[in-house]
Amino acid sequence: LTEESRRVSENYTLGFGTFIDKNIGPYAYEDPIRRGNPCYSEMIDVDTGEATKCPPAYAFRNEMNLEGSLEKFERTLRSLSVSSNIDYPEGGFEALLQVASCW
């Protein structure tokens, strides 16, 4: 994406936001252990010896403000962690609303 952006134009701004889902039932886990770590399982990663861990659910997070740095955009994407929720992420509509209201 960044290489194509450079090829097409030198005049651009990029921003980036993420969402998982609303942090309430029935969208997210209500069990306190899984609420703090939705990817929790009894299984241990054979490489690290640790339990699977991922961030708690949230409706929307602005990860990067609009700016013209493709390098910052790449760093932002690489720094993110994948997470989980219970159902399909209809929280995406909430995220789109957040993006529209921040524009």
Side-chain angles (χ1 to χ4, degrees):
L1 178 63
T2 56
E3 292 303 318
E4 185 66 17
S5 297
R6 281 189 183 105
R7 191 182 71 71
V8 172
S9 175
E10 292 181 14
N11 184 18
Y12 53 81
T13 55
L14 294 170
F16 193 74
T18 58
F19 71 95
I20 298 172
D21 213 337
K22 294 183 179 184
N23 197 11
I24 58 171
Y27 314 109
Y29 293 102
E30 295 185 4
D31 171 57
I33 292 173
R34 293 206 58 149
R35 183 176 287 271
N37 178 13
C39 298
Y40 173 82
S41 76
E42 304 275 332
M43 297 172 56
I44 302 297
D45 185 300
V46 294
D47 294 325
T48 65
E50 298 177 2
T52 305
K53 189 165 177 119
C54 64
Y58 53 87
F60 179 80
R61 185 178 295 154
N62 184 25
E63 304 288 352
M64 180 183 144
N65 292 333
L66 289 172
E67 56 182 84
S69 172
L70 290 174
E71 291 75 20
K72 184 172 182 183
F73 180 72
E74 288 176 359
R75 282 194 310 273
T76 300
L77 289 179
R78 287 192 177 107
S79 72
L80 298 174
S81 298
V82 175
S83 193
S84 178
N85 68 336
I86 294 176
D87 63 349
Y88 293 108
E90 68 285 330
F93 293 120
E94 176 76 18
L96 289 172
L97 177 63
Q98 291 291 329
V99 169
S101 67
C102 294
W103 179 258

